[in-house]
mmCIF file of all heavy atoms in Angstrom:
data_model
loop_
_atom_site.group_PDB
_atom_site.id
_atom_site.type_symbol
_atom_site.label_atom_id
_atom_site.label_comp_id
_atom_site.label_asym_id
_atom_site.label_seq_id
_atom_site.Cartn_x
_atom_site.Cartn_y
_atom_site.Cartn_z
ATOM 1 N N SER A 1710 3.536 119.082 81.511
ATOM 2 C CA SER A 1710 2.486 118.134 81.989
ATOM 3 C C SER A 1710 3.108 117.202 83.044
ATOM 4 O O SER A 1710 4.337 117.075 83.172
ATOM 5 C CB SER A 1710 1.985 117.282 80.830
ATOM 6 O OG SER A 1710 2.994 116.422 80.349
ATOM 7 N N GLU A 1711 2.243 116.592 83.828
ATOM 8 C CA GLU A 1711 2.715 115.647 84.836
ATOM 9 C C GLU A 1711 3.453 114.519 84.228
ATOM 10 O O GLU A 1711 4.500 114.061 84.774
ATOM 11 C CB GLU A 1711 1.490 115.129 85.640
ATOM 12 C CG GLU A 1711 1.874 114.149 86.720
ATOM 13 C CD GLU A 1711 0.673 113.608 87.486
ATOM 14 O OE1 GLU A 1711 -0.450 113.966 87.121
ATOM 15 O OE2 GLU A 1711 0.864 112.882 88.485
ATOM 16 N N ALA A 1712 3.015 114.019 83.060
ATOM 17 C CA ALA A 1712 3.698 112.927 82.391
ATOM 18 C C ALA A 1712 5.151 113.287 82.039
ATOM 19 O O ALA A 1712 6.056 112.501 82.186
ATOM 20 C CB ALA A 1712 2.934 112.480 81.170
ATOM 21 N N ALA A 1713 5.325 114.524 81.513
ATOM 22 C CA ALA A 1713 6.648 114.960 81.119
ATOM 23 C C ALA A 1713 7.574 115.097 82.359
ATOM 24 O O ALA A 1713 8.749 114.726 82.334
ATOM 25 C CB ALA A 1713 6.572 116.300 80.361
ATOM 26 N N ARG A 1714 7.022 115.655 83.431
ATOM 27 C CA ARG A 1714 7.836 115.811 84.652
ATOM 28 C C ARG A 1714 8.217 114.426 85.206
ATOM 29 O O ARG A 1714 9.394 114.206 85.582
ATOM 30 C CB ARG A 1714 7.018 116.567 85.713
ATOM 31 C CG ARG A 1714 6.830 118.051 85.384
ATOM 32 C CD ARG A 1714 6.340 118.828 86.591
ATOM 33 N NE ARG A 1714 5.026 118.322 87.041
ATOM 34 C CZ ARG A 1714 3.855 118.767 86.571
ATOM 35 N NH1 ARG A 1714 3.814 119.712 85.638
ATOM 36 N NH2 ARG A 1714 2.742 118.310 87.055
ATOM 37 N N ASN A 1715 7.280 113.511 85.233
ATOM 38 C CA ASN A 1715 7.592 112.163 85.772
ATOM 39 C C ASN A 1715 8.612 111.441 84.939
ATOM 40 O O ASN A 1715 9.394 110.636 85.443
ATOM 41 C CB ASN A 1715 6.318 111.366 85.839
ATOM 42 C CG ASN A 1715 5.385 111.774 86.944
ATOM 43 O OD1 ASN A 1715 5.776 112.453 87.860
ATOM 44 N ND2 ASN A 1715 4.102 111.419 86.797
ATOM 45 N N ALA A 1716 8.647 111.719 83.604
ATOM 46 C CA ALA A 1716 9.567 111.033 82.721
ATOM 47 C C ALA A 1716 10.916 111.716 82.664
ATOM 48 O O ALA A 1716 11.824 111.222 82.001
ATOM 49 C CB ALA A 1716 8.960 110.963 81.305
ATOM 50 N N GLY A 1717 11.077 112.859 83.336
ATOM 51 C CA GLY A 1717 12.334 113.499 83.362
ATOM 52 C C GLY A 1717 12.711 114.303 82.130
ATOM 53 O O GLY A 1717 13.888 114.483 81.825
ATOM 54 N N ILE A 1718 11.742 114.822 81.441
ATOM 55 C CA ILE A 1718 11.952 115.683 80.277
ATOM 56 C C ILE A 1718 12.575 117.008 80.699
ATOM 57 O O ILE A 1718 11.983 117.677 81.563
ATOM 58 C CB ILE A 1718 10.651 115.840 79.439
ATOM 59 C CG1 ILE A 1718 10.170 114.503 79.022
ATOM 60 C CG2 ILE A 1718 10.917 116.774 78.264
ATOM 61 C CD1 ILE A 1718 11.103 113.706 78.188
ATOM 62 N N GLU A 1719 13.697 117.356 80.104
ATOM 63 C CA GLU A 1719 14.476 118.519 80.586
ATOM 64 C C GLU A 1719 14.194 119.812 79.827
ATOM 65 O O GLU A 1719 14.218 120.901 80.372
ATOM 66 C CB GLU A 1719 15.973 118.182 80.508
ATOM 67 C CG GLU A 1719 16.342 116.992 81.368
ATOM 68 C CD GLU A 1719 17.780 116.540 81.104
ATOM 69 O OE1 GLU A 1719 18.476 117.199 80.298
ATOM 70 O OE2 GLU A 1719 18.208 115.531 81.727
ATOM 71 N N GLY A 1720 14.005 119.707 78.520
ATOM 72 C CA GLY A 1720 13.715 120.919 77.753
ATOM 73 C C GLY A 1720 14.723 121.194 76.630
ATOM 74 O O GLY A 1720 14.505 122.036 75.794
ATOM 75 N N ASN A 1721 15.861 120.480 76.632
ATOM 76 C CA ASN A 1721 16.862 120.686 75.587
ATOM 77 C C ASN A 1721 17.068 119.495 74.675
ATOM 78 O O ASN A 1721 18.029 119.384 73.950
ATOM 79 C CB ASN A 1721 18.197 121.080 76.218
ATOM 80 C CG ASN A 1721 18.685 120.045 77.243
ATOM 81 O OD1 ASN A 1721 17.967 119.089 77.518
ATOM 82 N ND2 ASN A 1721 19.895 120.239 77.736
#
Side-chain angles (χ1 to χ4, degrees):
S1710 68
E1711 181 180 3
R1714 290 192 299 272
N1715 288 340
I1718 300 303
E1719 300 171 1
N1721 56 354

